[in-house]
Amino acid sequence: MATAGKITLWGIEVFVATAEEASISAASRRLGTSAATVSQQITNLEGAIGTTLLNRGERPVSLTPAGEMFLRRANSILNEAEQARAELAMVDLSRLTRFRLGMIEDFDADVTPSLLRAMSQELKNCQFLLETGPSHHLVELLDTRALDVIVAADMDQPAAGMEVHALLREPYLIAAPKGVLKGENMARGLSRMQLIQYTTRHHMGRQIAAHLVRQNLRPTQRFELDSYHAIMAMVADGAGWTILTPLGWMRAGRFRDAVDLLPLPFAPLSRTISLTARTDILGQMPATIAHRMKPLLQQMIVAPAIKQYPWLKGDLNLL
């Protein structure tokens, strides 16, 4: 609990989270604390400053004019504090006590454990927090300071104040039931089957849907799912075909023997996986992590995929 009459870093962090979430309960979930603690910290901060910062009786919670003014300063204070922690850690990595990493789900079974294992050996006193999820969710968490570094698919243009380290480029591919497209025109064969679409609630699904429109293709579609495993299970069962990336293909590996992986029979489409962090906050650490990840990606993703499908060479590569 904050000391009455004093402005604390924790109180400022609670205020910023509440202002950005527009909800005390949402702020408490983001910070991993109770709603009562959030409310008390805001009360303490308002008492120390001598003015009301948030209209807590409103739904959603809103900023007062004083709160809008203080929010700009509060963000600067939190950025300076993060940068100070990072600078100390750069001098002596053993000083880093917390690291919050966001990773796309594609890496959660192999690349992520190996990376965290290597980092934990060097950062002996550091507590690691890992968040996995779709790229747009990780971008939001980074933007609101809930994460320090994310590894995700590039969305569009990176937000201002972010540093981006490109890691991997991978093509989109066709996955179809085993043997159904052999000996005939692929586009004609696909037109006779249902498209099992990756959800357009995620950036990847929207990217695929937009590309199909650009190709003037509107395949029959009854299913839109958010799980590689569910999609691949349906393809393996002969329910239709899908578009996915090598990472998605490898993640749903149990269905590989029942599915053919093929290049797109129309204009190519690819995505880039990058490591992103706020500029000048963590010093050289983001670049160092990106450098460490590339050999892991080569060993666990690129080399095995190209060994099985040599035609991927040149399209699936490190950056």
Side-chain angles (χ1 to χ4, degrees):
M1 181 178 294
T3 303
K6 291 186 178 180
I7 298 175
T8 67
L9 196 58
W10 172 230
I12 292 173
E13 187 173 356
V14 167
F15 163 71
V16 169
T18 306
E20 291 177 346
E21 298 290 345
S23 165
I24 287 176
S25 59
S28 69
R29 288 193 297 271
R30 170 171 150 182
L31 297 169
T33 190
S34 68
T37 296
V38 169
S39 184
Q40 184 61 57
Q41 289 296 323
I42 294 170
T43 297
N44 291 344
L45 181 63
E46 290 177 334
I49 292 176
T51 189
T52 301
L53 300 174
L54 293 164
N55 296 310
R56 283 182 272 173
E58 296 182 356
R59 295 293 182 273
V61 172
S62 65
L63 288 163
T64 66
E68 291 179 359
M69 184 181 302
F70 184 69
L71 182 60
R72 293 191 293 271
R73 295 292 185 185
N75 279 315
S76 297
I77 291 167
L78 292 181
N79 283 336
E80 287 293 329
E82 288 186 28
Q83 190 167 354
R85 281 195 292 261
E87 287 173 353
L88 289 171
M90 292 306 103
V91 175
D92 180 2
L93 284 175
S94 65
R95 293 177 181 270
L96 190 67
T97 58
R98 183 184 67 172
F99 184 72
R100 302 167 300 175
L101 175 65
M103 296 284 276
I104 53 172
E105 297 157 314
D106 309 69
F107 290 160
D108 62 2
D110 36 41
V111 176
T112 302
S114 296
L115 176 66
L116 290 177
R117 201 159 44 240
M119 291 182 67
S120 68
Q121 292 174 358
E122 185 171 0
L123 305 175
K124 300 291 187 182
N125 300 314
C126 185
Q127 180 181 22
F128 294 90
L129 182 148
L130 174 67
E131 178 88 21
T132 59
S135 296
H136 70 276
H137 176 61
L138 299 179
V139 169
E140 290 171 1
L141 292 176
L142 178 65
D143 191 50
T144 58
R145 290 191 198 80
L147 295 173
D148 300 311
V149 171
I150 64 170
V151 175
D154 289 357
M155 304 290 285
D156 294 303
Q157 293 297 319
M162 298 292 177
E163 60 175 288
V164 180
H165 303 270
L167 298 171
L168 176 75
R169 180 178 293 116
E170 60 170 350
Y172 284 95
L173 307 166
I174 296 291
K178 195 78 172 178
V180 300
L181 296 178
K182 289 184 178 178
E184 70 167 317
N185 178 277
M186 188 189 301
R188 188 180 303 117
L190 293 176
S191 68
R192 296 201 306 269
M193 293 187 290
Q194 295 276 347
L195 169 65
I196 303 171
Q197 170 74 52
Y198 188 74
T199 178
T200 51
R201 290 186 294 105
H202 295 177
H203 178 72
M204 185 174 118
R206 293 193 294 272
Q207 190 179 18
I208 293 169
H211 189 65
L212 290 173
V213 170
R214 287 194 296 271
Q215 309 310 308
N216 199 27
L217 296 171
R218 290 172 174 78
T220 305
Q221 176 189 335
R222 293 175 56 205
F223 305 101
E224 185 173 311
L225 311 178
D226 68 352
S227 163
Y228 290 134
H229 287 82
I231 290 172
M232 289 291 285
M234 293 188 70
V235 173
D237 196 45
W241 61 283
T242 195
I243 297 176
L244 78 173
T245 66
L247 282 175
W249 166 259
M250 297 180 78
R251 191 158 180 248
R254 58 182 284 201
F255 303 106
R256 291 182 204 169
D257 292 341
V259 175
D260 284 327
L261 192 66
L262 306 160
L264 296 182
F266 37 83
L269 177 67
S270 64
R271 70 172 184 170
T272 299
I273 307 297
S274 297
L275 182 147
T276 305
R278 289 184 294 284
T279 304
D280 298 329
I281 297 298
L282 292 174
Q284 293 300 311
M285 183 172 285
T288 299
I289 296 171
H291 179 73
R292 288 179 175 176
M293 283 194 70
K294 289 185 178 182
L296 296 176
L297 294 174
Q298 178 65 32
Q299 175 188 351
M300 298 180 176
I301 304 295
V302 177
I306 292 177
K307 182 178 180 180
Q308 187 169 3
Y309 299 101
W311 48 266
L312 281 172
K313 189 173 184 179
D315 293 323
L316 175 62
N317 48 65
L318 299 180
L319 298 173

